[in-house]
Amino acid sequence: MTILQHAPVILASGSAVRQQMLKSVGLTFSVEPSGVDEEALTATLTALSLPERALALARAKAVAVGQQHADAYTIGADQICALGERVLNKPLTYENATAQLSLLSGKTHRQHCGLVLLHGDHIIWEHVGIAELTMRTLSPADIQAYIATDAPLAACGSYKFESLGRHLFAEVKGDHDVIQGLPLVALLARMHALGIISLS
């Protein structure tokens, strides 16, 4: 089977995980991080629900890139990890990662992933995927061993589900691709429906 691609595709994200996911399903694409100030934008979105915030951030990223490429299809995505209404951002430090995993231990939280597809600067499709994850009760030693091994400092929630992070969970409900930051089945289905890609 061959994946035929009938238009240029751009990923408006520097995420190595999202890039690998698209490569794994045979897509050809260029990468152009949006440069959107996520922190400043997020501060204006507090009245929105978490799924709406994820979608608004994905939309902003896609538009920032797509408006510069009239003939291309641009993919924008954003992910929000939250325990209830408490958002867990990328920890960036070992101390923050320890605190986040200690907070999530034994509890159920959600990953919300917004996904937007543009043609030029025209939004043609939007989608939000939600996954629910229940973490095992972790000991301090478990947490330290995991962080030292997987170094999840750039992962919201302080775990890499695509890697050793799966060991941390007792139950997962929903699309595993959502947890990794890109609802891939929904995206591919839409791209086929729009004739952006086809099979041969």
Side-chain angles (χ1 to χ4, degrees), residues 67-162:
Q67 62 188 357
Q68 304 173 49
H69 302 279
D71 296 327
Y73 288 88
T74 301
I75 301 166
D78 194 82
Q79 186 175 18
I80 294 177
C81 176
L83 178 64
E85 292 298 311
R86 178 171 176 175
V87 174
L88 302 175
N89 296 315
K90 297 173 182 178
L92 304 180
T93 68
Y94 282 90
E95 292 76 18
N96 288 341
T98 299
Q100 285 193 2
L101 290 176
S102 298
L103 178 66
L104 293 176
S105 175
K107 300 185 182 75
T108 298
H109 69 280
R110 288 182 172 181
Q111 290 277 5
H112 308 78
C113 188
L115 182 60
V116 175
L117 185 63
L118 269 69
H119 187 217
D121 60 359
H122 179 61
I123 296 172
I124 55 176
W125 179 68
E126 297 183 335
H127 173 80
V128 178
I130 299 175
E132 190 173 271
L133 302 91
T134 301
M135 192 169 283
R136 295 189 299 105
T137 298
L138 305 176
S139 69
D142 291 335
I143 291 171
Q144 291 307 312
Y146 172 70
I147 294 172
T149 305
D150 226 11
L153 304 187
C156 58
S158 301
Y159 56 84
K160 295 180 181 178
F161 192 78
E162 71 279 4

Side-chain angles (χ1 to χ4, degrees), residues 172-187:
V172 173
K173 297 178 180 178
D175 183 357
H176 287 196
D177 289 341
V178 167
I179 304 167
Q180 297 182 64
L182 191 65
L184 201 49
V185 171
L187 175 62

Side-chain angles (χ1 to χ4, degrees), residues 46 48 118 154:
T46 54
L48 300 180
L118 269 69

